Amino acid sequence: MNKTDINRLIRWTVDTNGIQFAKQIYQRDEPDEYTREKFRGMQTNLIHWIANLDYKNRQRLADAINNYEER
């Protein structure tokens, strides 16, 4: 991991909204109570949220970050 990776992680977490979050990480078409709770967890305790992701969701996070295009 380098500075660019950290910057992309930060930009993704700040710029992603609840709809994108639900789709990209949890593959839900619409946010529901579960994804809203996870979104709040991501916003308030990022490291804890990442540490609790399973392998597939952690890979989806990596893909979302790597495919992120800054606005």
Side-chain angles (χ1 to χ4, degrees), residues 12-29:
W12 182 86
T13 59
V14 170
D15 293 344
T16 298
N17 65 37
I19 295 168
Q20 295 166 317
F21 178 85
K23 286 181 182 180
Q24 292 176 341
I25 308 304
Y26 295 100
Q27 298 186 317
R28 311 262 174 114
D29 290 331

Side-chain angles (χ1 to χ4, degrees), residues 3-40:
K3 179 182 172 190
T4 300
D5 297 327
I6 293 171
N7 287 339
R8 293 182 94 188
L9 169 64
I10 292 167
R11 288 287 7 129
W12 182 86
T13 59
V14 170
D15 293 344
T16 298
N17 65 37
I19 295 168
Q20 295 166 317
F21 178 85
K23 286 181 182 180
Q24 292 176 341
I25 308 304
Y26 295 100
Q27 298 186 317
R28 311 262 174 114
D29 290 331
E30 296 288 329
D32 55 20
E33 190 56 38
Y34 178 79
T35 60
R36 286 182 189 99
E37 182 180 324
K38 295 297 184 179
F39 187 68
R40 283 189 293 272

Side-chain angles (χ1 to χ4, degrees), residues 35-51:
T35 60
R36 286 182 189 99
E37 182 180 324
K38 295 297 184 179
F39 187 68
R40 283 189 293 272
M42 184 267 297
Q43 291 179 316
T44 59
N45 196 340
L46 180 63
I47 299 302
H48 184 266
W49 173 73
I50 291 173

Side-chain angles (χ1 to χ4, degrees), residues 45-60:
N45 196 340
L46 180 63
I47 299 302
H48 184 266
W49 173 73
I50 291 173
N52 284 294
L53 289 173
D54 65 18
Y55 173 79
K56 288 180 183 179
N57 289 345
R58 199 173 288 184
Q59 183 59 55
R60 289 184 192 118

